[in-house]
Amino acid sequence: QVQLVESGGDLVQPGGSLRLSCAASGTIISISGMGWFRQAPGKARESVAFINRSGGGTNYADSVKGRFTISRDNAKNTIYLQMSSLKPEDTAVYYCYANVNGRTTWGQGTQVTVSS
């Protein structure tokens, strides 16, 4: 059974930085595209960032371009989301997802709160 476990969510001040991680574990035969969604209170879940299998192709929501960076370490089956210049509107539960063994798998989410 494959699991994705996010970590790194916290309460931070506006303008601060935070790094999220998502580690896949279990019987992993293949793993390809991975990324992050987020869901703020009262809003729909939205795509934040995506990274392809090799790590050479990325995509970001317009709202986070220049502030967030997605990366991956295939040896560790882990992806990261480096978040800088955080704004209150970045407050959300952040969910990791990955194509593992040919199907999309989701993590449980980690809370990021940006507030004074």
Side-chain angles (χ1 to χ4, degrees), residues 32-80:
S32 54
M34 303 181 72
W36 297 89
F37 274 68
R38 67 185 181 187
Q39 188 165 28
K43 294 189 176 182
R45 188 174 294 189
E46 62 177 350
S47 179
V48 176
F50 171 83
I51 187 165
N52 70 359
R53 182 175 176 272
S54 69
T58 58
N59 188 46
Y60 298 92
D62 287 342
S63 59
V64 307
K65 284 182 179 178
R67 300 189 298 118
F68 290 12
T69 301
I70 188 170
S71 61
R72 68 190 295 164
D73 184 340
N74 287 340
K76 298 180 179 179
N77 292 319
T78 300
I79 63 167
Y80 306 91

